């Protein structure tokens, strides 16, 4: 089974915001909070350092690059303080003016005692509930006023051996930087841990535990217990246990905090608009007075059990739609420094695993294949266990055949190794990834860099610069032989121990075969050496006579060039410098969902699954991966309300091939039967999700309901999907591919002249396209009645999703659309205060505004939350109470089950609420406008068919800045009266809502 690298992967990333009360919206510093907690003294009492000593900057031998021949990124300033705290400061220009801060604490759930299970994560929450300088209950609002969004710009995560606090400062303002560093310092040794605040937070933690509880999480836990029975990690899931979360007294928190939150376990990371010398001094001034304490030893992590031989375990999860079989060999981790030699040593194993994973991908497409997908992987988990894995996802009724296949392919790779063709493809793709990373290094986002630095430190890896590392890596890859890969793979799988963990839905085979029996059959199956694949030549370098540009227009203020080719293809080009050597491409055509025939239910789902998986006329998908190895190109098909689209992401160098690939899907799509086979193999997985998972029920039942039951949004029955054929998809899509109006958008790091030349030979050379007509008249979708609607589903996990929808409007009036977005932010913030902070009944309630570009009048303002089903009635009433207050229609104050009603909601919208909603949104918009995806999807994809999108881009920030309180209150009065609410609950059938 796959071990999670951090609890971010497990979902334990907490959207928490730290803020302090201000006397005005100008950001004035509030008075410091009382430094004693209720019933006790401050949590920590750091002894002051001798004069001058605390601010000294010293060297440290604890950095991974000390003693390594690998050179760390030269732009980073590495420093340490006498108390042991370390810091890393890195100037970075993208996005401009922003600063990303991290406090990395080497303390996680592995440090807990039995009676502290979950407190490392709980403590992370408490960092945002009152510190020496930031009062409890006022933190969110303080940083919102400064432009920092809840969860987006202030966050944290807890893992087995680390806790990381994260702040994304919207600008380099001195006061903001001071407060950001001060908050991190308070997290380090200034949490108050007030007993009342702890009690208030218990419900939020339990709500988060419920939200994170999934079949996949439970499967992961069982797999870890099986493969690591003598390891502490299996008893230290960061989310913890309910008894501890519900009852742990304050003393257990303070014990953990004082023992493991010590300066020598901490690293401050700052990336962005910083001057290293000045910021290093500020870090020293802020953190230098922390006490220097003896480093507490972590508990014994236990053992990686050896000598078990071949072991297997079956763990059934019938709510899953597939079987998962994992072969693993585990060994105690061998500590070693990160050096040029160790990276070279790891390379053959990495390439070998890529080849084996690729073999499984090819096998999944064969007729009667039992597997849906497979992978081979090696990981050093938590510097505790070295684990080699082969994982197969299989059809529930063919799991035993998948076990045989996995065993057979493991033996084939171990005994016969790899072909020259396989090695060539794997090496080319590996090098392409490394080269792309090197070329884009100078435009990496500060948020990503700070996260990567922390990850490297947690793993004991040297944080190197991709550009400097590329020559060494390239030389190693080019010199690599298939014999070296075979030797590395054999060494990885040489142990006599083998764990086979089978989980998910597993239908007993008719012959009664067990996992052990299937494994034995696979180990005895006849195998032969892999054969060399024949060379494949790219078959789409020419599309006929070069096309001519008939019209050209410059949209100078937005930096967009618009072209119309003689064949009718329209193109919009926007070069950017946001991400070096990255280019996004879209090709929009046809009328999408509007063209669905009513008598072919399931056609959209079917076509979406099979079209790009069917490859091209001259190349299957497998052929494409070989012939295009080493080139960054791709094609993804999607269906929207009023358009089809083919999307690709490429580089400046590969743009021509990317355009050729997309053009080939227009001129010669494959329509191969293998794509149909793969879909049919996946049907159980698709429909199990619609029966047992919240998001599957939402897609299959709630979304069609909220679209008024219109057939174009219906989710097909299983038999309807299985009735569709490739000919149905071809009949629907082929005419649009051949001649419908076609508009291409290209955004990113490219040269307009070079792109135009490539377009002339590709899209400009296609057969003539129809001219765009007037926007078709589209009937409004049927209205959805107000009231309650329950969608039950079967699950042993008592978790529900509540959404309360207020019908609004379409997106035709962009000013209204933007104001509805701000109104949604205000509604969401009140939900946070009421349902999360006051009640503790939902971990992440939120509100969003959605509106259609296609269907007139269709739009919703939606409040959404994951919640325990018995609490849904009260939560829905609370949403309507808040909506009524915003609309000026007072409702009775609602109490959560078992609690008294809180204070009535404030009527209307305050000026402060508007500022706290607008400032983070403006901050996000500034960053969004330096994002290629925004410019492609919102503007360049269709700005000739929809010229209003150019004006939308021009007015985006200024229009949001101009939003007024009166405008929002008018919209609230129009759209948020509680009587208009549509309540939808997706839940196991244990609630009265909807009855």
């Amino acid at each position: 089974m796959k071990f999670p690298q951090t609890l971010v992967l497990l979902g334990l990333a907490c959207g928490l915001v730290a803020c302090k009360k201000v006397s005005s919206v100008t950001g004035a510093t509030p008075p410091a909070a009382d430094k004693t907690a209720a019933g006790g003294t401050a949590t920590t009492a750091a002894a002051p350092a001798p004069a001058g000593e605390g601010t000294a900057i010293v060297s440290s031998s604890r950095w991974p690059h000390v003693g390594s021949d690998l050179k760390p990124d030269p732009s980073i300033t590495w420093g340490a303080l006498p108390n042991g705290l370390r810091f890393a400061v890195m100037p970075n220009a993208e996005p401009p003016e922003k600063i990303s801060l991290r406090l990395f604490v080497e303390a996680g759930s592995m440090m807990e005692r039995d009676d502290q299970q979950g407190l490392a994560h709980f403590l992370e929450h408490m960092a945002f509930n009152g510190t020496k300088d930031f009062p409890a209950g006022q933190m969110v609002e303080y940083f919102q006023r400064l432009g920092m969004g809840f969860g987006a710009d202030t966050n944290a995560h807890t893992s087995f051996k680390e806790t990381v606090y994260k702040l994304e400062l919207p600008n380099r303002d001195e006061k903001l930087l001071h407060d950001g560093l001060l908050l991190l310092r308070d997290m380090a040794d200034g949490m108050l841990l007030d007993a009342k605040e702890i009690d208030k937070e218990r419900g939020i933690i339990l709500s988060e535990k419920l939200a994170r509880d999934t079949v996949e999480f439970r499967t992961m836990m069982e797999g870890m217990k099986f493969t690591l029975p003598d390891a502490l990690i299996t008893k230290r899931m960061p989310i913890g246990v309910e008894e501890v979360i519900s009852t742990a007294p304050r003393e257990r928190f303070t014990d953990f905090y004082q023992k493991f939150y010590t300066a020598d376990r901490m690293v401050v990371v700052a990336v962005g608009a910083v001057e290293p010398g000045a910021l290093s001094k500020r870090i020293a001034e802020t953190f230098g007075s922390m006490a220097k304490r003896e480093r507490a030893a972590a508990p014994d992590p236990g053992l990686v059990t050896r000598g078990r031989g071949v072991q297997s375990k079956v763990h059934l999860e019938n709510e899953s739609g597939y079987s998962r079989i994992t072969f693993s060999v585990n060994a105690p981790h061998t500590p070693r420094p990160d050096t040029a030699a160790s990276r070279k040593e790891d390379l053959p194993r990495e390439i070998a695993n890529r080849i084996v994973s690729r073999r499984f991908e090819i096998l999944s497409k064969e007729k009667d294949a039992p597997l849906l997908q497979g992978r081979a992987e090696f990981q050093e988990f938590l510097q505790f266990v070295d684990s080699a894995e082969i994982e197969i996802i299989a059809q529930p009724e063919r799991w035993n055949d998948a076990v045989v296949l996995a065993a057979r392919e493991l033996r084939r790779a171990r005994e016969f190794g790899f072909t020259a063709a396989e090695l060539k493809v794997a090496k080319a793709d590996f090098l392409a990834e490394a080269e792309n990373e090197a070329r884009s290094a100078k435009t990496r986002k500060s948020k990503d860099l700070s996260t990567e630095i922390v990850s490297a430190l947690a793993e004991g890896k040297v944080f190197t610069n991709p550009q400097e590392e590329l020559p060494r890596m390239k030389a190693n890859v080019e010199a690599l032989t298939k014999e070296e890969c075979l030797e590395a793979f054999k060494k990885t799988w040489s142990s006599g121990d083998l764990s086979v963990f089978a989980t998910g839905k597993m239908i007993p085979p008719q012959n009664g075969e067990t996992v052990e029996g299937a494994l034995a059959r696979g180990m005895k199956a006849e195998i032969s050496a892999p054969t060399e694949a024949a060379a494949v030549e790219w078959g789409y370098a020419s599309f006929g006579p070069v096309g001519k540009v008939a019209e050209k227009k410059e949209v100078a203020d937005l930096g967009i060039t618009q072209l119309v080719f003689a064949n009718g293809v329209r193109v919009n080009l926007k070069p950017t410098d946001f991400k070096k050597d990255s280019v996004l491409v879209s090709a929009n055509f046809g009328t999408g969902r509007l063209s669905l025939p009513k008598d072919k239910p399931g056609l959209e789902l079917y076509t979406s699954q099979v079209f790009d998986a069917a490859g091209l006329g001259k190349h299957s998908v497998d052929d494409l991966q070989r012939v295009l190895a080493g080139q960054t190109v791709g094609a993804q098909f999607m269906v929207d309300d009023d358009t089809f689209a083919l999307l690709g992401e490429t580089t400046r160098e590969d743009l021509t091939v990317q355009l050729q690939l997309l053009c080939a899907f227009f001129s010669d799509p494959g329509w191969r039967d293998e794509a149909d086979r793969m879909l049919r193999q996946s049907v159980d997985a698709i429909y199990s999700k619609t029966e047992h998972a919240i998001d599957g029920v939402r897609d299959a039942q709630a979304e069609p309901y909220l679209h008024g039951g219109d057939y174009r949004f219906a989710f097909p029955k299983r038999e309807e999907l299985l009735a569709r054929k490739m000919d149905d998809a071809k009949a629907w899509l082929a005419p649009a591919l051949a001649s419908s109006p076609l508009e291409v958008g290209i955004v990113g790091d490219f040269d307009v002249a070079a792109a135009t030349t490539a377009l002339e030979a590709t899209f400009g050379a296609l057969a003539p396209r129809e001219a765009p007509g007037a926007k078709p008249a589209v009937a409004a979708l049927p209205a959805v009645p107000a009231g309650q609607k329950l969608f039950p589903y079967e699950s042993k996990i008592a978790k529900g999703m509540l959404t309360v929808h207020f019908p609004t409007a379409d997106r035709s009036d962009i000013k209204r659309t933007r104001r509805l977005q701000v109104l949604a932010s205000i509604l969401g913030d009140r939900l946070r205060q009421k349902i999360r902070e006051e009640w503790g009944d939902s971990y992440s309630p939120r509100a969003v505004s959605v509106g259609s570009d296609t269907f007139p009048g269709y739009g919703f303002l939606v409040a959404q939350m994951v919640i325990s089903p018995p609490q849904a009635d009260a939560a829905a009433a609370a949403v309507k109470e808040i909506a009524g207050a915003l609309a000026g229609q007072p409702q009775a104050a609602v109490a959560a089950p078992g609690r008294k009603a809180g204070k009535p909601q404030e009527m209307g919208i305050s000026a402060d609420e508007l500022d706290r909603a607008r400032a983070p949104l403006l901050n996000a918009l500034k960053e969004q406008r330096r994002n290629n995806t925004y410019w492609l999807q919102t503007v360049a994809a269709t700005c000739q068919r929809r010229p209003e999108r150019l004006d939308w881009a021009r007015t985006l920030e200024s229009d949001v800045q101009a939003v007024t309180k009166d405008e929002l209150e008018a919209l609230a009065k129009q759209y948020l009266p509680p009587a208009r609410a549509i309540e939808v609950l997706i839940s196991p059938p244990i609630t009265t809502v909807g009855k």
Side-chain angles (χ1 to χ4, degrees):
M1 51 81 55
K2 185 176 176 68
F3 300 125
Q5 291 294 341
T6 71
L7 258 292
V8 174
L9 298 181
L10 287 181
L12 275 182
C14 303
L16 305 172
V17 184
C19 317
K20 33 170 156 166
K21 186 176 182 180
V22 293
S23 56
S24 70
V25 296
T26 60
T29 305
D34 183 356
K35 298 185 181 181
T36 59
T41 59
T43 304
T44 60
E53 181 181 323
T55 58
I57 297 175
V58 299
S59 61
S60 173
S61 61
R62 297 180 57 217
W63 299 113
H65 55 262
V66 174
S68 172
D69 56 351
L70 295 171
K71 303 302 181 185
D73 192 308
S75 65
I76 299 179
T77 296
W78 310 88
L81 304 181
N83 58 18
L85 181 139
R86 293 174 290 157
F87 62 85
V89 179
M90 182 182 189
N92 190 60
E94 194 63 44
E97 298 300 307
K98 295 197 172 188
I99 301 174
S100 181
L101 297 178
R102 299 287 185 271
L103 175 65
F104 168 53
V105 186
E106 295 177 73
S109 59
M110 290 284 285
M111 285 74 174
E112 297 165 347
R113 300 190 310 255
D114 285 346
D115 65 352
Q116 291 177 321
Q117 291 182 69
L119 295 196
H121 169 244
F122 203 139
L123 194 63
E124 170 216 311
H125 278 238
M126 293 309 300
F128 300 93
N129 283 279
T131 67
K132 292 188 295 185
D133 295 286
F134 294 83
Q138 301 169 7
M139 294 182 176
V140 172
E141 290 78 4
Y142 175 66
F143 279 104
Q144 282 176 334
R145 295 181 186 103
L146 300 177
M148 297 172 66
F150 176 71
D153 301 308
T154 51
N155 215 316
H157 78 254
T158 304
S159 185
F160 295 97
K161 295 174 69 174
E162 69 182 45
T163 303
V164 182
Y165 299 95
K166 313 170 188 181
L167 298 177
E168 307 300 333
L169 308 186
N171 56 64
R172 59 192 304 176
D173 176 78
E174 287 292 313
K175 176 66 171 58
L176 181 58
L177 179 57
H178 170 273
D179 287 349
L181 290 174
L182 182 61
L183 174 59
L184 294 185
R185 167 60 195 270
D186 275 8
M187 291 169 168
D189 71 344
M191 296 188 209
L192 297 182
L193 299 178
D194 182 276
K196 292 181 179 179
E197 294 297 325
I198 289 174
D199 287 340
K200 284 176 60 178
E201 197 71 16
R202 296 186 197 275
I204 296 173
I205 306 288
L206 292 172
S207 297
E208 181 179 1
K209 191 174 190 298
L210 176 65
R212 307 303 186 191
D213 193 3
T214 63
V215 169
E216 290 75 18
F217 179 79
R218 295 183 177 194
T219 297
M220 183 203 69
M221 288 185 61
E222 291 300 317
M224 291 178 70
K225 291 176 183 177
F226 167 59
T227 56
L228 298 172
D230 300 313
L232 179 64
I233 187 174
T234 62
K235 306 175 183 67
R236 291 295 182 268
M237 288 293 114
I239 192 61
V241 296
E242 187 167 337
E243 180 182 358
V244 173
I245 296 168
S246 300
T247 64
R250 179 178 184 271
E251 291 72 22
R252 289 190 209 164
F253 290 82
T254 59
D255 175 78
F256 186 94
Y257 188 43
Q258 293 172 346
K259 188 174 183 180
F260 292 108
Y261 271 58
T262 55
D264 65 340
R265 287 184 175 273
M266 297 181 181
V267 183
V268 174
V269 176
V271 181
V274 298
E275 196 287 307
L279 186 54
S280 297
K281 182 178 179 181
R282 295 186 71 159
I283 291 171
E285 292 170 347
T286 304
F287 291 88
S289 61
M290 282 187 68
K292 183 175 183 178
R293 295 185 185 149
E294 183 179 349
R295 184 182 179 90
D300 183 348
L303 299 173
V304 177
T305 311
R306 307 297 300 276
R308 301 173 74 192
V310 178
Q311 298 278 325
S312 64
K313 179 178 179 178
V314 173
H315 173 72
L316 296 179
E317 287 285 358
N318 289 323
E319 293 180 25
S320 175
Y322 51 79
S323 304
R324 184 192 301 269
I325 299 97
T326 305
F327 287 28
S328 62
V329 171
N330 296 323
H333 175 66
T334 303
R336 56 179 183 156
D338 184 18
T339 63
S342 67
R343 292 189 179 186
K344 183 177 181 179
E345 180 185 355
D346 292 344
L347 181 61
R349 184 180 59 215
E350 165 68 19
I351 298 298
N353 282 334
R354 285 174 176 244
I355 294 173
V356 174
S357 298
R358 178 83 181 97
R359 287 182 180 178
F360 287 131
E361 186 177 350
I362 294 170
L363 287 168
S364 70
K365 299 182 181 70
E366 289 186 352
K367 189 174 183 179
D368 297 325
L371 77 160
L372 304 177
Q373 57 183 302
R375 64 169 180 86
E377 186 174 275
F378 180 89
Q379 55 180 320
E380 300 173 344
F381 183 54
L382 295 178
Q383 299 177 348
F384 172 70
V385 57
D386 293 343
S387 177
E389 292 185 356
I390 285 178
E391 182 179 83
I392 296 289
I393 306 298
Q395 300 174 62
E397 69 278 7
R398 300 285 307 281
W399 62 264
N400 57 326
D401 292 332
V403 171
V404 173
L405 184 148
R408 185 190 73 198
E409 293 308 314
L410 171 59
R411 291 173 53 223
R412 191 193 310 277
R414 193 166 55 186
E415 294 181 28
F416 295 108
F418 314 107
T419 69
E422 288 176 320
L423 181 63
K424 181 180 178 181
V425 170
K427 288 166 66 171
D429 286 341
F430 185 90
L431 267 181
E433 293 169 13
E435 289 168 348
N436 290 344
E437 187 178 356
R439 284 192 290 260
S440 64
K442 290 184 178 180
T443 51
R444 290 173 292 178
K445 304 294 186 186
S446 295
K447 179 190 295 187
D448 297 334
L449 282 167
S450 61
T451 298
E452 290 168 14
I453 292 171
V454 166
S455 295
L457 293 175
E459 296 169 12
K461 303 297 184 183
V462 179
F463 188 80
T464 52
N465 183 289
Q467 292 177 320
E468 295 187 351
E469 276 294 283
L470 182 61
R472 180 191 60 79
M473 186 182 299
K474 188 172 183 180
N476 289 340
V477 173
E478 290 175 345
L480 185 64
T481 67
K482 60 182 182 179
E483 289 77 19
E484 291 173 310
C485 293
L486 171 58
E487 183 61 29
F489 192 80
K490 288 170 65 175
K491 181 179 178 181
T492 301
W493 290 91
S494 62
S495 171
D497 292 340
L498 176 66
S499 297
V500 181
F501 181 62
T503 185
K505 185 176 182 179
M506 301 173 64
I507 298 175
Q510 291 184 349
N511 63 4
E513 189 171 43
T514 63
V515 171
E516 294 85 351
L519 179 62
R521 181 157 60 97
M523 289 300 183
K524 296 175 182 177
E526 183 178 347
I527 58 172
S528 59
T531 57
E532 287 285 355
V536 181
E537 295 293 330
W538 178 229
Y540 297 96
S542 175
F543 294 87
V546 172
K548 301 296 183 184
V549 175
E551 299 177 32
K552 181 177 180 179
K553 179 182 178 181
E554 300 290 343
V555 186
D557 62 324
L558 297 179
I560 295 174
T561 299
Q562 296 183 325
L563 307 176
V564 180
F565 282 90
N567 64 354
V569 173
R570 285 161 163 72
V571 179
N572 308 304
L573 307 170
K574 180 172 174 58
T576 71
D577 59 359
F578 309 149
K579 186 177 181 181
K580 183 69 175 173
D581 206 40
S582 176
V583 185
L584 304 182
V585 183
S586 71
N588 286 69
F589 64 100
T591 54
R593 220 170 261 120
L594 289 177
S595 64
L596 272 169
K598 196 170 185 177
D599 63 345
K600 300 287 184 182
L603 182 57
E604 179 194 340
L605 177 58
Y606 179 90
T607 307
S608 297
Q609 295 287 320
V610 304
F611 178 69
D612 42 12
L616 300 171
K618 298 178 183 179
H619 303 308
S620 68
V621 169
D622 291 330
D623 288 340
L624 285 172
Q625 292 190 335
R626 283 193 292 141
V627 73
L628 297 175
Q631 300 182 84
T632 305
V633 295
Q636 179 184 359
F637 174 71
M638 60 165 285
V639 181
D640 207 343
D641 284 356
D642 62 353
T643 187
F644 303 109
L646 276 165
L647 309 175
E649 182 172 2
T650 187
T651 65
R652 174 186 283 256
E653 181 179 353
D654 294 334
L655 178 57
T656 295
V657 179
Q658 175 67 72
L659 295 176
Q660 290 172 349
L661 176 63
L662 293 181
C663 265
F665 275 101
F666 281 93
S667 62
D668 190 27
W671 309 115
R672 279 181 166 73
D673 287 339
E674 68 181 31
D676 178 87
R677 288 200 306 270
M678 292 177 66
L679 170 64
R680 293 176 191 280
Q681 291 168 1
S682 302
V683 164
D684 280 343
I686 293 172
Y687 283 91
S688 179
K689 191 173 182 181
T690 67
E691 296 164 358
H692 301 296
I694 283 178
D695 52 348
V697 179
R698 178 196 62 208
D699 294 344
Q701 298 185 57
E703 284 300 311
Y705 173 76
L706 291 164
H707 283 84
D710 186 278
Y711 74 92
R712 288 163 293 196
F713 297 90
F715 196 88
K717 298 176 182 177
R718 180 189 293 251
E719 59 270 21
E720 291 173 333
L721 179 61
L722 290 173
R724 300 282 67 83
K725 308 290 184 184
M726 191 64 75
D727 285 345
D728 296 326
K730 187 175 182 180
W732 182 39
L733 204 55
L737 287 166
S739 61
S740 69
L742 172 58
E743 189 164 354
V744 178
I746 304 178
V747 175
D749 179 19
F750 66 92
D751 176 74
V752 170
T756 301
T757 299
L759 286 159
E760 289 171 342
T762 52
F763 283 96
L766 291 177
R769 314 296 298 192
E770 299 169 5
K775 186 175 181 179
V778 179
L781 294 173
V784 182
Q788 298 176 322
K789 183 70 174 179
L790 172 66
F791 293 102
Y793 71 100
E794 297 180 10
S795 178
K796 59 188 176 184
I797 301 173
K799 177 169 63 176
M801 176 182 287
L802 171 69
T803 54
V804 182
H805 299 251
F806 296 89
T808 54
D810 57 47
R811 297 183 70 198
S812 58
D813 182 343
I814 195 62
K815 291 175 71 70
R816 176 182 60 201
T817 296
R818 289 166 179 164
R819 281 146 183 80
L820 285 171
Q821 291 173 332
V822 179
L823 182 59
S825 295
I826 293 172
L827 174 61
D829 198 54
R830 289 203 183 187
L831 290 174
R832 171 190 62 80
Q833 295 172 2
K834 179 81 172 182
I835 296 176
R836 176 184 164 121
E837 306 296 344
E838 182 181 332
W839 289 1
D841 283 351
S842 181
Y843 168 62
S844 56
R846 66 189 185 101
V848 297
S849 176
V850 295
S852 175
D853 278 335
T854 304
F855 294 95
Y858 186 84
F860 287 108
L861 204 158
V862 187
Q864 176 179 306
M865 66 199 75
V866 173
I867 199 162
S868 176
Q871 298 166 330
D873 279 332
V879 172
K880 292 189 287 187
E881 176 196 352
I882 294 168
L886 295 174
Q889 295 186 9
Q891 309 289 302
V894 179
R899 302 186 186 94
K900 294 180 180 179
K903 295 180 180 180
Q905 287 286 313
E906 179 183 345
M907 291 296 106
I909 296 169
S910 70
D912 183 54
E913 278 186 305
L914 172 56
D915 287 334
R916 290 190 292 104
R918 181 169 50 196
L921 180 57
L922 286 169
N923 174 34
L925 292 178
K926 288 179 181 178
E927 187 166 345
Q928 178 179 289
R929 288 174 70 85
R930 294 192 63 79
N931 185 294
N932 289 334
T933 300
Y934 159 76
W935 283 103
L936 180 68
Q937 294 182 353
T938 308
V939 186
T942 56
C943 63
Q944 293 194 52
R945 179 162 67 102
R946 292 177 169 170
E948 69 274 8
R949 301 221 164 185
L950 299 173
D951 285 331
W952 290 7
R954 292 184 178 106
T955 61
L956 180 58
E957 292 180 65
S958 61
D959 195 14
V960 172
Q961 184 67 63
V963 173
T964 68
K965 173 178 174 294
D966 290 344
E967 290 174 323
L968 297 184
E969 288 182 335
L971 288 173
K973 289 178 181 178
Q974 181 177 0
Y975 295 124
L976 291 184
R980 304 180 75 250
I982 303 166
E983 300 174 39
V984 173
L985 179 63
I986 302 170
S987 167
I990 55 175
T991 176
T992 59
V993 171
K995 290 186 178 181

